[in-house]
């Protein structure tokens, strides 16, 4: 069975960084909703323009829009064949319910959701050092506030289904990767 993984964690916790290492190791497809939205913005599509404004403010794109985009992506043959590592989705309990339905429709299940745990002060410092277009102090604060409100309930959602693992995201990239790999391998064993 191809792997189906979700990575959770505060903005700037290193999800994107670790996903590159994870997909190389496990051979599944990395789906980052943030990367997809930034690509749409680059292309200047209608979605990209609308999403760009929301992202710059640190707001979330509406659930129905995100669910439509991810649903389409998950049906593509590369993911059906090789599995997926979801980064940035689901971000709300509504998106998690939708993901469950999408996977059920494919006769697939989620293997594990890993929460990459990094304290607020550390993620702020990382984001300010990274300096992406939406990494302004105001947008960072708003994203982190929304995270506590809307994304933290997700942790309970995954925990309630017995799917949650927590991994310490502090340390070097290699140290964090070794912890993630051990956690995923344990789950799969
Ligand atoms: P998205 O792109 O998902 O951004 P995010 O959640 O803010 O997360 P980041 O990508 O900022 O952080 P990351 O955890 O990937 O960290 P990274 O590896 O870069 O979403 C952007 C926007 O899109 C949202 O605000 C929203 O508007 C919209 N959106 C996306 N999905 C959505 C959804 N499902 N629903 C609604 N709206 C949605 O690492 C951060 C920095 O730290 C880097 O500079 C890195 O080099 C450094 N670093 C990494 N690891 C380490 C380490 N071990 N030690 C020190 N530094 C490290
Ligand atoms: Mg990212």
């Amino acid at each position: 069975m191809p792997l189906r993984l979700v990575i959770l964690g505060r903005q700037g916790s290193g999800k994107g960084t670790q996903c590159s290492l994870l997909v190389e190791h496990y051979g599944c497809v990395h789906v980052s909703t943030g990367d997809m939205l930034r690509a749409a913005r680059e292309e200047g599509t209608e979605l990209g323009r609308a999403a760009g404004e929301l992202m710059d403010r640190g707001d979330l794109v509406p659930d129905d829009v995100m669910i439509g985009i991810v649903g389409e992506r998950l049906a593509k043959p590369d993911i059906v064949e090789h599995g997926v590592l979801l980064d940035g989705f689901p971000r709300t309990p509504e998106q998690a319910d939708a993901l469950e339905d999408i996977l059920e429709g494919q006769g697939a299940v989620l293997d594990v959701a890993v929460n990459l745990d990094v304290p607020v002060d550390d993620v702020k410092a990382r984001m300010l050092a990274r300096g992406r277009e939406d990494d302004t102090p105001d947008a960072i604060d708003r994203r982190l506030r929304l995270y506590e409100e809307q994304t933290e309930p997700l942790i309970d959602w995954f925990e309630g289904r017995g799917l949650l693992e927590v991994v310490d995201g502090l340390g070097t990239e290699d140290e964090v990767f070794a912890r993630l790999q051990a956690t995923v391998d344990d789950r799969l064993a």
Side-chain angles (χ1 to χ4, degrees):
M1 264 302 251
L3 280 185
R4 288 184 178 78
L5 312 173
V6 167
I7 190 155
L8 305 167
R10 284 198 178 86
Q11 292 74 12
S13 57
K15 299 183 294 292
T17 306
Q18 292 298 327
C19 282
S20 307
L21 302 170
L22 286 164
V23 293
E24 197 178 311
H25 183 79
Y26 290 105
C28 50
V29 179
H30 179 202
V31 171
S32 159
T33 45
D35 289 350
M36 288 167 86
L37 295 171
R38 282 185 288 276
R41 162 138 89 175
E42 281 298 296
E43 286 163 26
T45 63
E46 199 179 315
L47 164 73
R49 280 198 299 275
E53 276 181 37
L54 293 168
M55 289 163 78
D56 284 343
R57 287 207 303 262
D59 280 329
L60 291 180
V61 173
D63 282 335
D64 56 336
V65 175
M66 290 315 306
I67 290 165
I69 294 173
V70 173
E72 259 178 42
R73 185 65 191 90
L74 290 179
K76 296 259 162 74
D78 58 337
I79 289 182
V80 174
E81 191 180 340
H82 300 293
V84 68
L85 172 57
L86 281 166
D87 163 11
F89 185 96
R91 239 191 183 74
T92 63
E94 286 69 26
Q95 294 181 13
D97 288 336
L99 175 63
E100 202 170 41
D101 290 345
I102 293 167
L103 291 179
E104 202 178 288
Q106 298 182 340
V109 287
L110 206 60
D111 294 294
V112 63
V114 185
N115 184 24
L116 198 54
D117 189 33
V118 177
V120 175
D121 288 344
D122 296 272
V123 297
K124 276 192 186 170
R126 286 186 190 181
M127 281 189 275
L128 287 169
R130 179 182 62 183
R132 206 171 65 193
E133 208 170 340
D134 56 344
D135 287 335
T136 60
D138 280 354
I140 288 174
D141 280 345
R142 177 145 181 82
R143 272 148 71 197
L144 288 171
R145 210 164 45 239
L146 274 180
Y147 178 82
E148 308 301 331
E149 281 168 29
Q150 292 186 291
T151 310
E152 287 235 304
L154 261 188
I155 299 194
D156 299 337
W157 191 99
F158 284 110
E159 181 139 54
R161 283 160 177 76
L163 287 170
L164 185 73
E165 293 285 351
V166 181
V167 168
D168 179 2
L170 287 176
T172 66
E173 287 176 16
D174 288 346
E175 284 166 353
V176 176
F177 178 66
R179 283 180 214 135
L180 280 169
Q181 193 196 325
T183 302
V184 172
D185 287 348
D186 267 358
R187 271 278 167 167
L188 299 177

